Amino acid sequence: MENHPSGVISNGKIGFSTPSFTRERDDEEPEICVHPYIPGWFSEYSPLWPGQAHLLNIEKIHFQGKSEFQDMLVFQSSTYGKVFVLDGALQLTEKDECAYQEMMTHLPLCSIPNPKKVLLIGGGDGGILREISRHSSVEEIDICEIDTMLIDVYKEFFPDVAVGYKDPRVKLHIIDGTLFLNSVPRGTYDAIIVDAFDPIRPDHELFESQFFELVSKALGPGGVLCIQAESICGVIGFLLCSTEGPYVNFRSPINPIDPENYGISNQPLKFYNSEVHSAAFCLPSFAKRSSNTKAKSTAN
Amino acid sequence: MENHPSGVISNGKIGFSTPSFTRERDDEEPEICVHPYIPGWFSEYSPLWPGQAHLLNIEKIHFQGKSEFQDMLVFQSSTYGKVFVLDGALQLTEKDECAYQEMMTHLPLCSIPNPKKVLLIGGGDGGILREISRHSSVEEIDICEIDTMLIDVYKEFFPDVAVGYKDPRVKLHIIDGTLFLNSVPRGTYDAIIVDAFDPIRPDHELFESQFFELVSKALGPGGVLCIQAESICGVIGFLLCSTEGPYVNFRSPINPIDPENYGISNQPLKFYNSEVHSAAFCLPSFAKRSSNTKAKSTAN
C-alpha cells in the first residue's frame, strides 16, 4: 500500500493533491491524487476498496516516525481512543482492537484440544500475544517480527496491547517469518497465526504457495493456521486451515477458554466467546452459493 | 438528522464550511462545520458516530430534489452502484441493500409459523415489500408511507428495489404510521416491521413508549415486531419483540423460506439464510455482560 494507484476514479472530479497523511510528498507525484485529504482528519483510502474512504478525526498526534521498514503514525481520535497507522493504512484502534486480536487468536486455539507450541508471524503490536496468554496449555510462544521500532512504539503508546510481551512464555525473534519457518524442524508447532501483511502484494500467488508449504511443514499433525483473508461482506475475514491428522472442526470449538484466566492481561475477553466462534462460520447466501459453485467446478 | 450538531469536535482543526451535500447553504450557519466536505465525494457524518465519516465517490448525480418532508439525492458511486441519500444520511446502496432488507423482513417472518397479515411502517423504497413477497403464507401486506415523492424516485432509479410494489397483496396507505395504527382494530397483524426513522429523536422516549403500545395492540397473540435498533458493534442492530401468546423463539427460525419462491423478485435471496438468522443473535462478550448486568439490576 505504498502507492495509491491513480486512475481508479475516472470522472475527473477529484481535485485533491495531498498524499496520505503519513507520507512525505514526492515532487514527482502527480498533482491529482485519488484519495481525499482533509486537515485534522486521518483518511484511509485503500486500493482494496476503491471509491470510498473512511475518515477519523485527529485530536492530537502522539507520534510520527519512520523505521527501516515503514511509516508510523499514532494519533488520538475523538471516539476510537489512540489509533495506529502503518504506511497510511489503519492498523488498530484502542476501542475495537479486541475483536480482531481475540478472533484471530481464539478461532484457531479453541479449535484444537491442547495447544502447546504457538508461532505468531507479525503481530508486533503484542495483542495476539496477550490473547495467546489466556491459554494455560500453551508452553512456548514464538513471535517473528522484523520491525523493532514498531514494537517500541506500541509499548510506549498502547501498553494494554503490548502487555502480551510480558508473558514469560514469549520468545521474540527479530527475523522475517519466512526465513524463520525455513529454520524450524518439521512438525514443531500446534498452531501458527499470521498477522503480517495485507492481501495486496505484487508477488501474491508465488509468495502464497511457497509460504503455505513452509507453514504446513512447521505444523504437526492436526496443526492449525489462521491468517487474515479478504473480506466478503464488510467484516474482516480469516482463513483457517489444518494439516492432515486428527480432524479439526473449526465450527465447533472444543477447547473453551477458562473465563477466570486472564493470562497476562488484566481484562476479561471483550469480544470472543464460543457462540460468536461458531457464528463466524455462518456465511450469507451469496457467499455460500459462490463457494458451492467453486467446489463443483473443482470437482469437475 | 436535519442539522449536524456543532461542537462535537473541539480541537478547532476543522476548516470546512460547506454543509451536507444535499442541503441548501443557510447564510446564518457558522463557517466551521463539523463534518468534512470534498467535491466529488459524498460524505456522511452522523451525530450517532461523532469523530468519523464515511466517503463515497460520486461518479454522476442522477437526481436531487426536495419533497414536502425531506431532501433526496440519488448518485452513481463507482463501486456501490446507485446510492440514495435522505437529508444527508445514506439510506441504501444497490450493492448491499440486500443485507438490510432481507434481515429486517425474514428475522420476524421466519420466526412465526404462518404469517398472514403484515404491516410495514416506512420502508417506502419497496425493498422490504419485495422480501415479504417471498412468503407464500402472507395474504395482506399493508404499507404506511407519507412521502409519495420518495416512492416515485425509488421506482424510477431503483426498479429492483421498488419491484416490491408490484406484488398484488400490497396495499399502500399514504398516512403517518402512528395515525394508521390508531385506526387499526386490535390484533390485526401477525407481524409489524418498522423501517421509518433513525434512533435519534428529540422526543425519543415519550414517542417510543406510546408507539410501542400502539404496535402491541395492533398485533395478535404471538405477533412480532422488528424495528431498527442501535448498533452495538459496527453492524446494524434490530430489535425483535413478540406479544403475549404462543412463545416465539427468535433464535430458531421455524418458518424457512422456500428457496424456489422468489415472490415478486427475479432474484434468489442474497444474504439471508437460516444459519445467518440464528448467528445474528450471538453477541460478543462485552454485549452479553452488559445485558446480564442490566437484567440483574432490573431483577433487583
Side-chain angles (χ1 to χ4, degrees), chain A residues 113-275:
Chain A
N114 195 27
K116 286 187 173 159
K117 291 192 174 191
V118 182
L119 170 63
L120 171 60
I121 296 176
D125 55 78
I128 291 173
L129 298 177
R130 176 191 71 201
E131 294 308 315
I132 299 172
S133 156
R134 297 183 196 274
H135 291 264
S136 52
S137 69
V138 170
E139 294 166 0
E140 289 180 40
I141 309 171
D142 287 319
I143 169 173
C144 299
E145 171 59 61
I146 43 172
D147 198 337
T148 52
M149 180 172 156
L150 179 139
I151 299 173
D152 293 339
V153 172
Y154 270 108
K155 283 184 175 170
E156 182 168 351
F157 295 102
F158 299 86
D160 290 344
V161 180
V163 67
Y165 285 102
K166 291 189 179 164
D167 189 304
R169 295 167 288 182
V170 169
K171 196 170 170 193
L172 171 62
H173 306 265
I174 311 290
I175 181 176
D176 176 83
T178 310
L179 290 179
F180 183 81
L181 283 171
N182 264 311
S183 74
V184 159
R186 217 173 240 279
T188 300
Y189 293 103
D190 301 302
I192 296 179
I193 299 172
V194 182
D195 178 26
F197 31 73
D198 285 318
I200 333 158
R201 286 180 66 105
D203 54 346
H204 200 52
E205 280 183 45
L206 173 68
F207 175 80
E208 275 195 350
S209 66
Q210 289 178 344
F211 180 76
F212 282 124
E213 246 173 66
L214 283 172
V215 166
S216 168
K217 282 180 191 162
L219 286 169
V224 291
L225 165 70
C226 180
I227 184 168
Q228 193 186 342
E230 283 183 49
S231 165
I232 52 166
C233 44
V235 292
I236 290 171
F238 297 108
L239 181 66
L240 286 142
C241 327
S242 62
T243 56
E244 277 185 55
Y247 175 64
V248 179
N249 181 0
F250 285 110
R251 301 183 70 127
S252 302
I254 53 164
N255 180 29
I257 298 167
D258 173 5
E260 304 296 318
N261 182 5
Y262 294 1
I264 202 73
S265 170
N266 59 1
Q267 295 279 328
L269 287 168
K270 289 184 188 162
F271 192 89
Y272 178 89
N273 57 54
S274 297
E275 277 195 333

